[in-house]
Amino acid sequence: MWKNTSKNQVQQYMQHNPYRLLALSFFATMTIGTILLMLPISHAQGLSTTLVDAAFTAVSCVSVTGLSTVDTYHHWSLFGKIVMVILIQLGGLGIVSFTTIIALVLGRRVGLKNRVLLSEDVGQDGMKGLLHITKKLTIYTFCVEIIGGIIYTIQLYPYIGDAALYTGIMQSISSFCNAGFIFFDNDLPYAMVGDVLFNMNTMALIVIGGFGYLATFDIWSHRKLRRFVDLKLHTKIMLVGTTALILLGTIIFLGVEWANPKTFGPLPIWNKIMASLFQSITPRTAGIATVDYNDLHPITLFITIIFMFIGAGPNSTGGGVKISTIAVAFLASRTLFNNRSDTEVFERRISLITVLKANGIIFLSILFVLFATCYLAWDEPYDFIRLLFEVTSAFGTVGLTTGITPNLSESSKWVLMLVMFTGRVGVMTVIGTWALRTAPTKPISYAEERVLL
């Protein structure tokens, strides 16, 4: 009887708050991944893997970040790399989405509890058509990854030979999921800074993966009309925001790094433009680089930090606070100067709860990043800008680094793991696992009083 009561209490505790189940599913997957990566078969012959390195890699894979404390190409065996790719796929597609698809394939019924959790995982408000959306995003994901894998295989074959047959698919999954892991020699992307096929394929996978499923499906459903005005408001914001960030980043990176002898300086003009475009896209949570970020100008590092914090789109494989969140906060601040009480854009009004949520996400995220950076600054000897870069890269699930990750202390690595976990499941989800409360609606409201700002 005690066992049944205890079990029911645990179930009620978990089911009452879908945030807990979502966070627990990621944590469980990271734990299993850590165990698998610690097996002797997972690392190359003659090497060994410590607990912190295995855990860091597993968390980085599931959170689709790309930061690593060991060299991915040389340290892990083929089995270890396959484990990493599976973890990346689970983290990118969404663990709940992936398990739901398996249940549907096996003919099992998806209950109400799992549907609620699934709606949190894919970022869908409500449960109408939820399973249909999950099927579509799974098919969409695999199709894009296969196409990208074929292109990678063709492009990489002259460099790495037969290994390109499987490395191409691995790299395609990593790029589409915005994971940032390189499954071939880390120095090779630097040599391919002007390789059009590699750059275009990688940038396309990053943008498509980070744009967001629902916005992509909305564009596809209006493909015959081809009218911007017919799209949903979220899709319009994502299109404008993504385009603006890519163009702005390209111009800034090109201007700052143009004469830098360690980065863009020696490159031909076309390669400079290509490198600027690539470096503008990759901070949007992808983490693959064609120049050494250790050699970038501090201004470029700071702009990259801002881009990494913003991240990609909601219900995508990317991280960060999301483009739409920043857009809503910007539009809300604009109302201070246009003498309007409502937040409006494209002849639509954004609800107050959305504005409050956007500002809350940004505030809590900044607070979290600053606390983590302060700890690393206390524990590590590196410049503050590099530590802030590292923490923001982890929070935005980007994977870019100035090269200090392997040299961090164990305590700093565990802090970065927490940052990566929070960045993947979302700061609201982490806080919501213990802070969510269901309060009755108040029949009255308190008297309003001004606060000086």
Side-chain angles (χ1 to χ4, degrees), residues 47-273:
L47 299 177
S48 61
T49 305
T50 63
L51 173 61
V52 66
D53 288 335
F56 195 98
T57 303
V59 173
S60 188
C61 287
V62 178
S63 64
V64 290
T65 301
L67 288 175
S68 181
T69 55
V70 296
D71 189 299
T72 301
Y73 178 68
H74 292 101
H75 183 86
W76 302 108
S77 65
L78 179 58
F79 177 81
K81 291 174 183 175
I82 291 174
V83 171
M84 290 175 65
V85 168
I86 293 173
L87 294 176
I88 290 170
Q89 188 71 87
L90 285 171
L93 181 60
I95 296 167
V96 181
S97 303
F98 200 83
T99 53
T100 299
I101 290 299
I102 293 175
L104 292 173
V105 170
L106 296 177
R108 299 187 62 180
R109 181 176 175 272
V110 180
L112 179 61
K113 176 185 68 176
N114 290 330
R115 289 174 187 247
V116 173
L117 182 59
L118 184 61
S119 67
E120 292 288 338
D121 195 29
V122 301
Q124 170 78 350
D125 292 330
M127 290 177 283
K128 184 179 180 181
L130 193 58
L131 296 183
H132 178 63
I133 291 174
T134 306
K135 292 177 185 177
K136 284 174 61 178
L137 73 85
T138 304
I139 296 172
Y140 167 74
T141 297
F142 290 152
C143 287
V144 174
E145 288 175 345
I146 290 172
I147 295 172
I150 293 173
I151 297 174
Y152 268 135
T153 300
I154 295 172
Q155 194 274 329
L156 289 173
Y157 190 83
Y159 294 95
I160 60 177
D162 293 339
L165 298 175
Y166 57 85
T167 303
I169 293 295
M170 289 181 174
Q171 194 57 49
S172 178
I173 293 173
S174 178
S175 297
F176 177 79
C177 291
N178 283 222
F181 283 99
I182 301 291
F183 287 98
F184 43 89
D185 194 334
N186 285 333
D187 293 331
L188 191 53
Y190 301 153
M192 295 188 290
V193 64
D195 190 309
V196 177
L197 186 59
F198 173 81
N199 280 267
M200 289 300 180
N201 186 39
T202 304
M203 288 189 291
L205 288 171
I206 292 170
V207 172
I208 293 172
F211 190 70
Y213 301 114
L214 298 183
T216 302
F217 294 160
D218 183 36
I219 293 174
W220 177 255
S221 65
H222 291 89
R223 63 190 182 280
K224 294 182 179 179
L225 298 176
R226 297 179 182 178
R227 294 201 311 169
F228 181 81
V229 68
D230 294 319
L231 299 174
K232 294 180 179 178
L233 178 59
H234 170 72
T235 307
K236 294 176 182 178
I237 291 175
M238 282 303 303
L239 281 171
V240 174
T242 300
T243 304
L245 287 174
I246 291 175
L247 292 177
L248 182 63
T250 302
I251 294 170
I252 293 175
F253 293 153
L254 190 63
V256 176
E257 297 294 329
W258 180 273
N260 188 338
K262 296 181 179 180
T263 56
F264 292 5
L267 301 177
I269 294 179
W270 168 249
N271 287 6
K272 288 181 180 181
I273 297 173

Side-chain angles (χ1 to χ4, degrees), residues 440-453:
T441 304
K442 293 181 180 179
I444 60 173
S445 59
Y446 294 114
E448 183 179 298
E449 186 172 345
R450 290 187 62 188
V451 175
L452 297 179
L453 299 177

